[in-house]
Amino acid sequence: MLRAAGVGIGDEVVVPAFGNVEVAEAVALAGAMPVFADIDPVTYCLDPAAVEAAVGPRTAAVVAVHRFGRSADLKRLHELGQRHGLLVLQEGEPAPYDETARRRQRAAYLDARLRGVRTPDGGDGHTYGQYVVRVLGNGRPDRDAFARAVRGRGVDCRVPVKTPVHRLPEFRRCVTLPETERAADETLALPVDGSLTKRDMQRIVSACNALGGLLQTAH
């Protein structure tokens, strides 16, 4: 899509650094330079204000990535694109309706019962492609210790973004992305698949709540 739009050598494309190294790779393959902007801490998608701050004279496009079932703020990004004459592309597909309904049901169960972690904000039609909580404490060691302990109790959780793209050797940049860094240190994806039984859900809640008191309580 970038090449078809004439984006190439000498151009810059604003992308998120929170996951999706493939997006930065696609920009580089087109001959352009990826420029990283910070994310919104609620949706984990590009923050339009951060995108605007990253726009320069060589910026040709913005690639918005929908994350975990939340949509990027396309309205504001398209308005920004019109102001600056930028192409606005998006990456990510919505889940099938039936699967989304089942995931929302399981997410509601977790929302009501989890303690000691910050549950996701369900606004803007969240489809819960992933159920991502924040493990608040003193940074990465707490989240990683929490994940190991939960796995030890039979729950298949995972860290959704281990290293932001701007910290990878091939794309290393000296940029300040505080929300991206914080999300990379605190986020943990818990199971929310439509196939999970009530007993599975109870196991998730029991495993997480048994550890919640060890960490700073989420407010």
Side-chain angles (χ1 to χ4, degrees), residues 74-119:
L74 292 175
K75 181 176 183 292
R76 287 179 63 195
L77 289 174
H78 280 298
E79 290 171 352
L80 184 157
Q82 289 175 351
R83 284 197 305 275
H84 295 280
L86 308 177
L87 175 69
V88 177
L89 302 175
Q90 56 181 311
E91 194 270 338
E93 296 293 335
Y97 176 78
D98 289 347
E99 176 64 16
T100 294
R102 289 192 292 269
R103 285 175 177 268
R104 283 177 175 158
Q105 183 183 47
R106 284 151 181 79
Y109 182 95
L110 294 177
D111 286 346
R113 292 165 177 81
L114 286 174
R115 302 289 180 265
V117 297
R118 181 179 293 162
T119 56

Side-chain angles (χ1 to χ4, degrees), residues 95-178:
Y97 176 78
D98 289 347
E99 176 64 16
T100 294
R102 289 192 292 269
R103 285 175 177 268
R104 283 177 175 158
Q105 183 183 47
R106 284 151 181 79
Y109 182 95
L110 294 177
D111 286 346
R113 292 165 177 81
L114 286 174
R115 302 289 180 265
V117 297
R118 181 179 293 162
T119 56
D121 183 295
D124 295 333
H126 201 324
T127 61
Y128 295 98
Q130 294 187 57
Y131 186 88
V132 176
V133 300
R134 296 266 190 151
V135 180
L136 303 181
N138 297 317
R140 179 178 297 183
D142 289 337
R143 189 274 316 276
D144 290 351
F146 188 95
R148 285 193 296 272
V150 169
R151 290 189 196 106
R153 288 167 167 79
V155 175
D156 184 22
C157 64
R158 71 183 193 85
V159 174
V161 176
K162 293 180 179 178
T163 307
V165 182
H166 73 292
R167 285 207 245 124
L168 297 175
E170 62 269 38
F171 292 110
R172 193 172 297 281
R173 301 283 190 279
C174 292
V175 291
T176 302
L177 305 174

Side-chain angles (χ1 to χ4, degrees), residues 46-76:
L46 279 175
D47 178 355
V51 172
E52 186 134 35
V55 170
R58 297 169 62 185
T59 307
V62 178
V63 180
V65 181
H66 306 304
R67 297 291 296 171
F68 309 141
R70 285 294 296 267
S71 296
D73 192 341
L74 292 175
K75 181 176 183 292
R76 287 179 63 195

